[in-house]
Each structure stands twice: as C-alpha cells, then as structure tokens.
C-alpha cells in the first residue's frame, strides 16, 4: 500500500507543481473557475491524501506532515471557492488559496530534498508569501474590474 501511495504521491505532485501556476494565471485571466483550476485542485488533493496514507508508516519522524497536509488542502479549497464566485476581492482568495497550496508544495519538496537544512522551511514560505501578498495588494486592473452583465469573461 505504501509503495502505491508513494508512486501516486510523486506523480500527482509533479502535476500539481506544473498546474499550480497555470491554474492561478488562467483563473485570474478568465475571472473564474476553469479546467486548470480543477486539475490543480484534484492533483493537490491526491498529493494530500497519499501523504496522509504514508505518514503512519513512519509516524515518529513524519507526524507533523498530517496537519501540514490538511492545511495545504484547505488552501487549495479556499482558492477553489474563491474562483467559483468571483466578485469583490475574489482574486485575493485565488492568490492566497492556489498560491498558498503551491508554496506549501514547494516547501514540502525542499524539506524532503534538504532535510537537514533549516532554511528549507523558510525560503519557499518567505519568498512565496511575499510574492502572493504583493500581488494581493497590487492587483492587475483586469482582476478588479466588474464584469458587465451579459459579457463573457
């Protein structure tokens, strides 16, 4: 079971790394949920689910990945919900949700790849959060423009 979960985890992780930025850009550009957001949501959901399956196999060393995994999925769920109902400051939910999930994914990759480096936790979180917040407070005018009734996004 662990080997199957690991294979699915890695495959879904690669897809999530690729589709994260695509989902963010297309969702912001199209002002709503789209195929890339759905692919990103479900691939990251699979990453989180397989992580939850694998952690008990080495609980003493990996227990802290359970709350991180749950928080990561909640980020992507927030982005999904924001994309489903654009209006007001919706783009902040998309950026913080989808972007936060992507930052969490990269943090996990660096921590697993560089387990004895203290900055492996810090670097993706600090850089990713700074970029996300900068975009939240300096949005593109197209993200904040109200859709015209009857117009296609």
């Amino acid at each position: 079971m662990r080997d199957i979960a690991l294979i699915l985890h890695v495959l879904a992780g690669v897809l999530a790394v690729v589709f994260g930025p695509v989902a963010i850009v297309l969702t912001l550009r199209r002002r709503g949920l789209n195929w890339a957001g759905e692919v990103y949501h479900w691939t990251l959901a699979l990453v989180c689910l397989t992580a939850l399956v694998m952690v008990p196999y080495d609980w003493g060393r990996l227990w802290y990945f359970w709350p991180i995994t749950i928080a990561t999925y909640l980020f992507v769920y927030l982005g999904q919900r924001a994309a489903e109902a654009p209006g007001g400051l919706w783009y902040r939910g998309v950026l913080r949700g989808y972007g936060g999930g992507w930052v969490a994914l990269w943090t996990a990759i660096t921590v697993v790849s560089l387990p004895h480096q203290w900055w492996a936790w810090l670097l993706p979180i600090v850089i990713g959060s700074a970029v996300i917040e900068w975009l939240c407070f300096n949005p593109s005018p197209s993200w904040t423009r109200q859709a015209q009734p009857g117009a296609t996004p």
Side-chain angles (χ1 to χ4, degrees), residues 19-98:
F19 277 99
V22 176
I24 294 167
V25 170
L26 283 181
T27 301
L28 293 173
R29 187 172 291 160
R30 295 183 180 175
R31 297 182 51 84
L33 190 59
N34 57 70
W35 66 270
E38 288 288 352
V39 170
Y40 178 54
H41 172 250
W42 290 110
T43 55
L44 204 53
L46 185 57
V47 168
C48 293
L49 180 64
T50 54
L52 292 175
V53 168
M54 290 187 301
V55 165
Y57 286 99
D58 193 2
W59 183 259
R61 196 171 61 90
L62 301 176
W63 66 267
Y64 58 90
F65 276 108
W66 265 39
I68 292 169
T69 297
I70 293 166
T72 299
Y73 178 74
L74 290 175
F75 269 118
V76 175
Y77 183 73
L78 168 72
Q80 187 86 353
R81 298 294 298 167
E84 288 174 345
L89 299 175
W90 71 280
Y91 59 90
R92 289 185 180 179
V94 170
L95 287 167
R96 289 177 178 145
Y98 283 173

Side-chain angles (χ1 to χ4, degrees), residues 128-142:
S129 298
V131 170
I132 290 168
E133 289 306 308
W134 186 85
L135 289 170
C136 282
F137 289 99
N138 297 289
S140 168
S142 65

